[in-house]
Amino acid sequence: MKEMTVKPLAFTSLPGLSEKLLSEHHDVLYAGYVKKLNEIRSKLETADRAEANASYSLFGELKREETFTANAVKLHEAYFDNLGGNGQPDDAILEMISRDCGGVDTWRAEMTASGIAARGWVVAAYDLDLACLITYICDTHNLGCIWNAVPLVVLDVYEHAYYLDYATGRKSYIEAVLNNLNFAYANDLIKRSDLR
Ligand code: FE
């Protein structure tokens, strides 16, 4: 199994997101998920398949936590890769937002409402079956995930993502994140995956 490594952050602080907040989130929390994912996959190599059982088995529990932890890694990487820009969508993602989501202001309002409603993640994804951009929420890393959808813009709305800077002010945090979005990540994925 491929060993995961911690993807470095491209910045130390951003307007409205402090260095302390970002380093706790990236260097401690996200890096911890990478370490655990490697541990889970290493233990899976030797877990006894003959004892697999849906109520309890070591193999089953490791497989279950693999989905939780792998999604934690993927979603955090997308979240950090989505930051470091000026918040202004352009190019292919702007076309999608305009075509599928009623324009930038309506999309931002949808992302904000979803971020207040979610207990974990907001994922603006290109749904391959609907052939459009749609906003999904995910209450924990492996609950609410939609298959056949490519995550393009990801917001972490767990309390650890904002509490140090905003206490309970989640809406202000979401606004700060939206203002720091870097749409190069989404535009690159749209082009690489030939989404339209
Ligand atoms: Fe997080």
Side-chain angles (χ1 to χ4, degrees):
M1 183 54 69
K2 192 178 168 191
E3 181 95 353
M4 301 296 293
T5 54
V6 173
K7 270 183 91 171
L9 255 192
F11 40 78
T12 50
S13 66
L14 293 170
L17 298 170
S18 70
E19 186 173 348
K20 168 97 174 137
L21 175 73
L22 288 168
S23 72
E24 288 281 337
H25 196 179
H26 179 275
D27 304 345
V28 181
L29 208 127
Y30 154 68
Y33 282 124
V34 172
K35 198 172 160 205
K36 276 290 168 193
L37 182 56
N38 287 330
E39 183 184 334
I40 288 166
R41 287 181 168 159
S42 161
K43 288 182 175 168
L44 269 168
E45 286 176 11
T46 54
D48 187 354
R49 270 67 175 165
E51 289 184 354
N53 180 285
S55 297
Y56 169 76
S57 60
L58 179 60
F59 176 75
E61 294 314 301
L62 287 166
K63 288 303 281 179
R64 207 157 279 114
E65 302 317 335
E66 183 187 30
T67 69
F68 179 85
T69 314
N71 266 338
V73 169
K74 285 171 185 279
L75 289 166
H76 276 104
E77 288 181 352
Y79 168 72
F80 292 122
D81 282 346
N82 274 147
L83 294 174
N86 64 7
Q88 302 296 319
D90 62 355
D91 202 1
I93 187 71
L94 177 59
E95 284 172 30
M96 257 182 210
I97 288 171
S98 305
R99 182 191 68 192
D100 300 334
C101 306
V104 175
D105 291 346
T106 307
W107 179 75
R108 276 180 68 109
E110 179 78 359
M111 292 292 280
T112 304
S114 300
I116 290 164
R119 297 167 190 149
W121 296 99
V122 179
V123 179
Y126 183 86
D127 189 309
L128 294 163
D129 300 313
L130 299 174
C132 73
L133 185 70
I134 179 168
T135 307
Y136 288 117
I137 67 171
C138 214
D139 277 345
T140 187
H141 308 318
N142 58 351
L143 266 185
C145 308
I146 301 289
W147 298 99
N148 268 6
V150 183
L152 296 177
V153 181
V154 173
L155 307 185
D156 189 337
V157 295
Y158 279 96
E159 283 172 357
H160 67 244
Y162 61 89
Y163 210 84
L164 271 174
D165 285 357
Y166 292 93
T168 55
R170 188 190 290 199
K171 194 172 181 185
S172 301
Y173 157 74
I174 293 169
E175 202 176 313
V177 170
L178 293 177
N179 289 339
N180 282 292
L181 284 179
N182 170 14
F183 291 93
Y185 175 81
N187 282 324
D188 180 56
L189 253 181
I190 290 169
K191 278 172 195 152
R192 272 196 289 136
S193 312
D194 197 23
L195 308 177
R196 54 187 85 194

